[in-house]
Amino acid sequence: LEIGRSAIASRELEAAESLSEQYKFLHFHVAFPEVFSGGGDGIRSASLGFDAVLGNPPWDQVQLKEEEFFAVRAPHIAAAAGAIRKKLISQLETDDPALYRAFVFALRAKQGESKFLRSSGRYGLTGRGKINTYAIFAELARNSINNVGRCGIIVPTGIATDDSTSEFFSDLVAERSLASLFDFENRKNIFPAVDSRQKFCLLTLTGSTYSTNKQTEFVFFAHDLDDLNNPERRLQISSEEIKLFNPNTGTTPIFRNRKDLDIARQVYQKVPVMIKEGPPEENPWGISFKQGLFNMTTDSHLFRTKYQCEEAGAKLEGNVFVNEDESRLLPLYEGKLVHHFDHRFATYEGVSGDTPLEVPGKSKEDANFAILPRYWVAEREVQAKLGDWDRKWMIGFRDIARSTDERTFITAPIPFSAVGNNLPLLFPASKYLNKAGPLNANLTSFAFDFVARLKFGGTHANFFIVKQLPILPPEAFDNIAPWSDDPSETLSSWVSKRVLELTYTAHEMKPWAEELGYSGEPFRYDLERRMLLRAEIDACFFHLYGYRKEQVEYAMESFPIIKKHDIDRYSEYRTKELIIMKFDTMATSY
């Protein structure tokens, strides 16, 4: 451009023009010179740009999906799995060169787009992770308005909650560019062609002149436009509060109404997040994570079925296979096998498919009873994955964590075993292992889970979410338990006794019991007794988290599946009634 068009070789010019037509490049400065024109020094003035940008950009991942590409062109390739599909595609080079060229071109186009979005510097906040076009268009729209302009676009609510868009949303909050975010569920088919469960939002951004210290307006879980006028649903949240709730990502929780916001604000002002990233990092429990020990897909060559173990001559002892040379194969725990205070929640014994059966309480009254997994893994492989962890127990939590399920964050201590990636592991620092019981109780409490539900907009307990959940620090359990019969008993001791009785119901959990300071026999699995113990723990944590009684009642009503099960079984919401009773009793001790 500087030396003139004539200096460009004709073949280069033709190639550039051909590519421009082929890829439909759009340069705003070229297409709209009256809107985007620089000063004499070539620097764009802050006053230049669009006054308003409105749109519903595409919501697509920037990657070529082979199944979609071949769905019409070659259905047999689309239907093939993994390595077989790859082989069929490579054979196209000789069997159908035209289709192969079309595929290679489409693949190259997507790779080129991804490379540009990640590396050009044009999309510094959204050109990362699994790139989705809606995020790219959001950043483009924001950067295309002038300093008095406004931008209104329709995008998935993930713009405010997902880790991949956290830098962009955090920057909106920090620069006070976020005017409003109105979140919708497509239950009433506002978009008929979109799944009814899809969450999207009306996102309004401002130019720099309109950036103020005012709070941003939010509405969540709206179903139609009338919901935006409900004063209990239309919330004002400051940028400081957003950083209080999610200091690492700057994303926002999802509040159904003003009561949700008030409780979350109250809790986060009292209780710190699990890990506040630095520098400096604040990690009171010294927690580290592992995405399980074995990937259920890529590590499957290490897995052995019950039939394979028996064919190799191994003998089943409990749920561990022992070979003739005394080497062992350990059960592979998956998320769906455990539940709160219960490492024997479900079993694959007698099951041929992928869905385990829930174990009845009667079976768990036998301290020798052990669940059977789908697979076993050699003990040496497990030990190699665990590295320096020398305890014969672990704390795992389910990867699948939906805010609409019976409970959202589900965790339990489990015996030394193989663990799949759908049961991530949480390891506290060695100096706090004596408080592993209170830590586990904290993670299972309703007081904690109520707030956790506000953070889960998807289906997975991603580490970036878990790190920002409110957890009482270890020193909080050094305080005296005012409701204990022993005036000198600490909260750590009081909680640990109840966790011990709830979790040590089988001999295989003896190492966990010893960690909690107990060397006796397992406790009897008694459903009524367990309900009382859990009510005491939940009432305790409602107090420790600072809930008022009316807030406890409100929080418990937000678990409708628990309520339904209780009413079906007891003709009353017994879980709630027991917790309220214990909460009231404890309140008199303060």
Side-chain angles (χ1 to χ4, degrees), residues 148-181:
V148 295
R150 287 236 171 180
C151 162
I153 54 176
I154 304 173
V155 292
T157 304
I159 195 79
T161 60
D162 292 351
D163 187 44
S164 60
T165 54
S166 62
E167 284 192 20
F168 176 68
F169 193 80
S170 181
D171 191 70
L172 293 179
V173 172
E175 296 298 322
R176 305 184 187 279
S177 300
L178 184 60
S180 63
L181 186 152

Side-chain angles (χ1 to χ4, degrees), residues 487-501:
S488 64
E489 185 172 29
T490 64
L491 282 166
S492 180
S493 171
W494 187 91
V495 173
S496 290
K497 288 177 182 177
R498 285 151 181 81
V499 172
L500 176 68
E501 188 171 342

Side-chain angles (χ1 to χ4, degrees), residues 76 90 211 234 321 376 398 475 486:
H76 69 288
S90 65
S211 297
R234 193 157 179 150
F321 271 105
W376 282 259
R398 287 189 183 186
E475 59 269 20
D486 180 354

